[in-house]
Amino acid sequence: MKKILVTGGLGFIGSHTVVELQNAGFEVVIIDDLSNTRISVLDKITEITGQKPAYYNIDLRIKKDVKTFFDTNKVDGIIHFAAFKAVGESVQNPLDYYENNLGTLVYLLQEMRDRKLDNFIFSSSCTVYGQADELPITENAPVKTAESTYGNTKQIGEEIIKETCKAHNLNAIALRYFNPIGAHDSVKIGELPIGVPQNLIPFVTQTAAGIRKELSVFGDDYPTIDGTAVRDYIHVVDLAKAHIAALQRLINKNNKQNFEFFNVGTGTGSSVLQVIKAFEKASGKLLNYKIVDRREGDITAAYADTTIANQELNWKTEKNLDEALTAAWKWQLNQ
């Protein structure tokens, strides 16, 4: 049984990926400092799969603690989620984002180099493309100057991994996510932001539940179908399964280059107002929302061309927007 380290494994995407890893027969060890999740997620994962993953509360910014972990754990692969991820916050606190998102990546790769470990999956983002010239976005689209510090950390992170792979014969895949939403069918795990949500869907569900007074829609003057920003919303379980496909590609030595990257989305763009209307239909709740100024770092539109991921990873999405929104609402009601 292959042992896989999942950093940030109690977070939104991480926890769903841990479940899919265990379902696929992997042994999982989690590192998470609980900066944006709760320890109770560990018990929920165990309830879903019947297996309790090993867990370490480690701040990956502390190099000696990272080394100590690898001194006592031999792993067959790493899926690296642990990072700060809020676009707006990143523009306000760039140094925190560079320290956390890049320093921790370097420490992990140094341990892999020193211990001759292999198989690294990186949680990247479609933000590396900036505002793409053409839609849908293919992997051949140029990586542009980042619109936010968060996006820049993903660009630089990919460059660090690519150069490390070349120098040390490491094999890695970067998955460029679009916008993960939804929750597990069991409603035991879902998106659990600490404090005020930075992403659209938790703010939508919390507003519908009466936790938030109203939802802010950032801008209605974009050149889109209704003036609001367009994104590609992918069900988190579909995204989790993409990680399993990518990991198995590396373990089975099916990768064509030391460093590969794939777009992971649905291939369909939905505007913020379209999402609001779809949620209202799925939940039966009318949302209280207002239009406010655009948010710094946001782009007009982004949705994926998933052809290469479909072919190379033998993976495709199985769930649609309505299913994802229904799952997110059930998750909110279960809190």
Side-chain angles (χ1 to χ4, degrees), residues 24-46:
F26 290 97
E27 181 182 354
V28 179
V29 55
I30 294 170
I31 288 177
D32 200 304
D33 67 358
L34 304 180
S35 60
N36 196 33
T37 188
R38 300 189 180 101
I39 189 61
S40 57
V41 175
L42 186 62
D43 292 332
K44 298 301 182 181
I45 291 171
T46 307

mmCIF file of all heavy atoms in Angstrom, residues 24-46:
data_model
loop_
_atom_site.group_PDB
_atom_site.id
_atom_site.type_symbol
_atom_site.label_atom_id
_atom_site.label_comp_id
_atom_site.label_asym_id
_atom_site.label_seq_id
_atom_site.Cartn_x
_atom_site.Cartn_y
_atom_site.Cartn_z
ATOM 1 N N ALA A 24 -9.362 4.702 -2.925
ATOM 2 C CA ALA A 24 -8.568 4.091 -4.001
ATOM 3 C C ALA A 24 -7.483 3.155 -3.464
ATOM 4 O O ALA A 24 -6.701 2.599 -4.244
ATOM 5 C CB ALA A 24 -7.931 5.178 -4.856
ATOM 6 N N GLY A 25 -7.429 2.987 -2.126
ATOM 7 C CA GLY A 25 -6.499 2.012 -1.557
ATOM 8 C C GLY A 25 -5.171 2.566 -1.090
ATOM 9 O O GLY A 25 -4.244 1.798 -0.797
ATOM 10 N N PHE A 26 -5.050 3.882 -0.996
ATOM 11 C CA PHE A 26 -3.807 4.485 -0.508
ATOM 12 C C PHE A 26 -3.852 4.647 1.011
ATOM 13 O O PHE A 26 -4.915 4.848 1.601
ATOM 14 C CB PHE A 26 -3.580 5.857 -1.141
ATOM 15 C CG PHE A 26 -3.249 5.815 -2.609
ATOM 16 C CD1 PHE A 26 -4.240 6.020 -3.566
ATOM 17 C CD2 PHE A 26 -1.956 5.581 -3.046
ATOM 18 C CE1 PHE A 26 -3.948 5.993 -4.920
ATOM 19 C CE2 PHE A 26 -1.648 5.543 -4.396
ATOM 20 C CZ PHE A 26 -2.651 5.750 -5.338
ATOM 21 N N GLU A 27 -2.678 4.570 1.641
ATOM 22 C CA GLU A 27 -2.526 4.966 3.038
ATOM 23 C C GLU A 27 -2.220 6.458 3.049
ATOM 24 O O GLU A 27 -1.397 6.928 2.263
ATOM 25 C CB GLU A 27 -1.380 4.190 3.691
ATOM 26 C CG GLU A 27 -1.160 4.529 5.148
ATOM 27 C CD GLU A 27 0.025 3.785 5.759
ATOM 28 O OE1 GLU A 27 0.607 2.920 5.082
ATOM 29 O OE2 GLU A 27 0.377 4.105 6.919
ATOM 30 N N VAL A 28 -2.869 7.195 3.936
ATOM 31 C CA VAL A 28 -2.742 8.659 3.912
ATOM 32 C C VAL A 28 -2.208 9.171 5.241
ATOM 33 O O VAL A 28 -2.625 8.728 6.317
ATOM 34 C CB VAL A 28 -4.103 9.327 3.619
ATOM 35 C CG1 VAL A 28 -3.965 10.849 3.625
ATOM 36 C CG2 VAL A 28 -4.661 8.856 2.274
ATOM 37 N N VAL A 29 -1.278 10.116 5.153
ATOM 38 C CA VAL A 29 -0.835 10.871 6.325
ATOM 39 C C VAL A 29 -1.048 12.353 6.015
ATOM 40 O O VAL A 29 -0.729 12.831 4.929
ATOM 41 C CB VAL A 29 0.635 10.566 6.694
ATOM 42 C CG1 VAL A 29 1.565 10.806 5.516
ATOM 43 C CG2 VAL A 29 1.078 11.381 7.900
ATOM 44 N N ILE A 30 -1.641 13.051 6.969
ATOM 45 C CA ILE A 30 -2.034 14.453 6.779
ATOM 46 C C ILE A 30 -1.154 15.372 7.612
ATOM 47 O O ILE A 30 -0.867 15.084 8.782
ATOM 48 C CB ILE A 30 -3.501 14.661 7.206
ATOM 49 C CG1 ILE A 30 -4.463 13.896 6.286
ATOM 50 C CG2 ILE A 30 -3.869 16.147 7.227
ATOM 51 C CD1 ILE A 30 -5.903 13.877 6.799
ATOM 52 N N ILE A 31 -0.732 16.477 6.997
ATOM 53 C CA ILE A 31 -0.170 17.604 7.736
ATOM 54 C C ILE A 31 -1.115 18.786 7.545
ATOM 55 O O ILE A 31 -1.483 19.119 6.424
ATOM 56 C CB ILE A 31 1.238 17.985 7.232
ATOM 57 C CG1 ILE A 31 2.262 16.931 7.659
ATOM 58 C CG2 ILE A 31 1.642 19.359 7.750
ATOM 59 C CD1 ILE A 31 3.667 17.218 7.135
ATOM 60 N N ASP A 32 -1.519 19.405 8.662
ATOM 61 C CA ASP A 32 -2.383 20.584 8.590
ATOM 62 C C ASP A 32 -2.208 21.372 9.882
ATOM 63 O O ASP A 32 -2.261 20.789 10.973
ATOM 64 C CB ASP A 32 -3.853 20.178 8.406
ATOM 65 C CG ASP A 32 -4.708 21.308 7.854
ATOM 66 O OD1 ASP A 32 -4.725 22.392 8.477
ATOM 67 O OD2 ASP A 32 -5.349 21.117 6.801
ATOM 68 N N ASP A 33 -1.993 22.690 9.766
ATOM 69 C CA ASP A 33 -1.800 23.503 10.973
ATOM 70 C C ASP A 33 -3.106 24.094 11.498
ATOM 71 O O ASP A 33 -3.091 24.887 12.449
ATOM 72 C CB ASP A 33 -0.765 24.603 10.729
ATOM 73 C CG ASP A 33 -1.238 25.658 9.730
ATOM 74 O OD1 ASP A 33 -2.361 25.516 9.182
ATOM 75 O OD2 ASP A 33 -0.483 26.621 9.477
ATOM 76 N N LEU A 34 -4.217 23.728 10.880
ATOM 77 C CA LEU A 34 -5.558 24.147 11.323
ATOM 78 C C LEU A 34 -5.770 25.662 11.224
ATOM 79 O O LEU A 34 -6.620 26.220 11.915
ATOM 80 C CB LEU A 34 -5.847 23.669 12.758
ATOM 81 C CG LEU A 34 -5.719 22.165 13.008
ATOM 82 C CD1 LEU A 34 -6.024 21.845 14.465
ATOM 83 C CD2 LEU A 34 -6.636 21.379 12.084
ATOM 84 N N SER A 35 -5.023 26.325 10.336
ATOM 85 C CA SER A 35 -5.176 27.773 10.200
ATOM 86 C C SER A 35 -6.454 28.155 9.468
ATOM 87 O O SER A 35 -6.937 29.275 9.606
ATOM 88 C CB SER A 35 -3.965 28.372 9.472
ATOM 89 O OG SER A 35 -3.825 27.808 8.181
ATOM 90 N N ASN A 36 -7.019 27.221 8.702
ATOM 91 C CA ASN A 36 -8.272 27.535 8.004
ATOM 92 C C ASN A 36 -9.207 26.330 7.973
ATOM 93 O O ASN A 36 -9.927 26.100 7.001
ATOM 94 C CB ASN A 36 -7.997 28.015 6.576
ATOM 95 C CG ASN A 36 -9.207 28.705 5.959
ATOM 96 O OD1 ASN A 36 -9.982 29.364 6.653
ATOM 97 N ND2 ASN A 36 -9.390 28.538 4.665
ATOM 98 N N THR A 37 -9.189 25.548 9.049
ATOM 99 C CA THR A 37 -10.095 24.400 9.159
ATOM 100 C C THR A 37 -10.170 23.988 10.622
ATOM 101 O O THR A 37 -9.621 24.668 11.501
ATOM 102 C CB THR A 37 -9.609 23.227 8.280
ATOM 103 O OG1 THR A 37 -10.616 22.203 8.270
ATOM 104 C CG2 THR A 37 -8.291 22.647 8.775
ATOM 105 N N ARG A 38 -10.857 22.890 10.891
ATOM 106 C CA ARG A 38 -11.011 22.423 12.265
ATOM 107 C C ARG A 38 -10.611 20.956 12.367
ATOM 108 O O ARG A 38 -10.772 20.177 11.422
ATOM 109 C CB ARG A 38 -12.461 22.588 12.731
ATOM 110 C CG ARG A 38 -12.942 24.036 12.698
ATOM 111 C CD ARG A 38 -14.297 24.203 13.377
ATOM 112 N NE ARG A 38 -14.738 25.603 13.328
ATOM 113 C CZ ARG A 38 -15.623 26.080 12.477
ATOM 114 N NH1 ARG A 38 -16.172 25.274 11.585
ATOM 115 N NH2 ARG A 38 -15.968 27.352 12.498
ATOM 116 N N ILE A 39 -10.126 20.555 13.533
ATOM 117 C CA ILE A 39 -9.662 19.180 13.749
ATOM 118 C C ILE A 39 -10.808 18.173 13.609
ATOM 119 O O ILE A 39 -10.590 17.004 13.298
ATOM 120 C CB ILE A 39 -8.976 19.043 15.137
ATOM 121 C CG1 ILE A 39 -8.294 17.686 15.284
ATOM 122 C CG2 ILE A 39 -9.979 19.276 16.254
ATOM 123 C CD1 ILE A 39 -7.195 17.418 14.264
ATOM 124 N N SER A 40 -12.044 18.629 13.792
ATOM 125 C CA SER A 40 -13.195 17.725 13.689
ATOM 126 C C SER A 40 -13.307 17.099 12.300
ATOM 127 O O SER A 40 -13.931 16.029 12.137
ATOM 128 C CB SER A 40 -14.490 18.475 14.014
ATOM 129 O OG SER A 40 -14.663 19.596 13.154
ATOM 130 N N VAL A 41 -12.703 17.735 11.293
ATOM 131 C CA VAL A 41 -12.747 17.183 9.928
ATOM 132 C C VAL A 41 -12.088 15.803 9.890
ATOM 133 O O VAL A 41 -12.508 14.928 9.130
ATOM 134 C CB VAL A 41 -12.057 18.143 8.927
ATOM 135 C CG1 VAL A 41 -11.989 17.529 7.531
ATOM 136 C CG2 VAL A 41 -12.798 19.474 8.893
ATOM 137 N N LEU A 42 -11.070 15.594 10.740
ATOM 138 C CA LEU A 42 -10.381 14.298 10.775
ATOM 139 C C LEU A 42 -11.352 13.179 11.136
ATOM 140 O O LEU A 42 -11.345 12.100 10.517
ATOM 141 C CB LEU A 42 -9.230 14.349 11.783
ATOM 142 C CG LEU A 42 -8.319 13.126 11.849
ATOM 143 C CD1 LEU A 42 -7.603 12.894 10.528
ATOM 144 C CD2 LEU A 42 -7.300 13.289 12.990
ATOM 145 N N ASP A 43 -12.217 13.432 12.116
ATOM 146 C CA ASP A 43 -13.210 12.426 12.510
ATOM 147 C C ASP A 43 -14.241 12.202 11.406
ATOM 148 O O ASP A 43 -14.709 11.067 11.202
ATOM 149 C CB ASP A 43 -13.922 12.856 13.792
ATOM 150 C CG ASP A 43 -12.997 12.834 14.998
ATOM 151 O OD1 ASP A 43 -12.044 12.037 15.001
ATOM 152 O OD2 ASP A 43 -13.222 13.628 15.936
ATOM 153 N N LYS A 44 -14.588 13.268 10.686
ATOM 154 C CA LYS A 44 -15.568 13.134 9.603
ATOM 155 C C LYS A 44 -15.005 12.287 8.457
ATOM 156 O O LYS A 44 -15.717 11.472 7.866
ATOM 157 C CB LYS A 44 -15.982 14.512 9.087
ATOM 158 C CG LYS A 44 -16.654 15.392 10.132
ATOM 159 C CD LYS A 44 -17.915 14.757 10.696
ATOM 160 C CE LYS A 44 -18.612 15.665 11.691
ATOM 161 N NZ LYS A 44 -19.834 15.025 12.256
ATOM 162 N N ILE A 45 -13.734 12.492 8.136
ATOM 163 C CA ILE A 45 -13.091 11.652 7.111
ATOM 164 C C ILE A 45 -13.151 10.190 7.540
ATOM 165 O O ILE A 45 -13.477 9.300 6.738
ATOM 166 C CB ILE A 45 -11.628 12.094 6.901
ATOM 167 C CG1 ILE A 45 -11.570 13.464 6.231
ATOM 168 C CG2 ILE A 45 -10.862 11.053 6.079
ATOM 169 C CD1 ILE A 45 -10.178 14.070 6.187
ATOM 170 N N THR A 46 -12.846 9.952 8.815
ATOM 171 C CA THR A 46 -12.847 8.587 9.346
ATOM 172 C C THR A 46 -14.243 7.968 9.272
ATOM 173 O O THR A 46 -14.394 6.784 8.944
ATOM 174 C CB THR A 46 -12.349 8.600 10.800
ATOM 175 O OG1 THR A 46 -11.088 9.281 10.858
ATOM 176 C CG2 THR A 46 -12.167 7.180 11.325
#
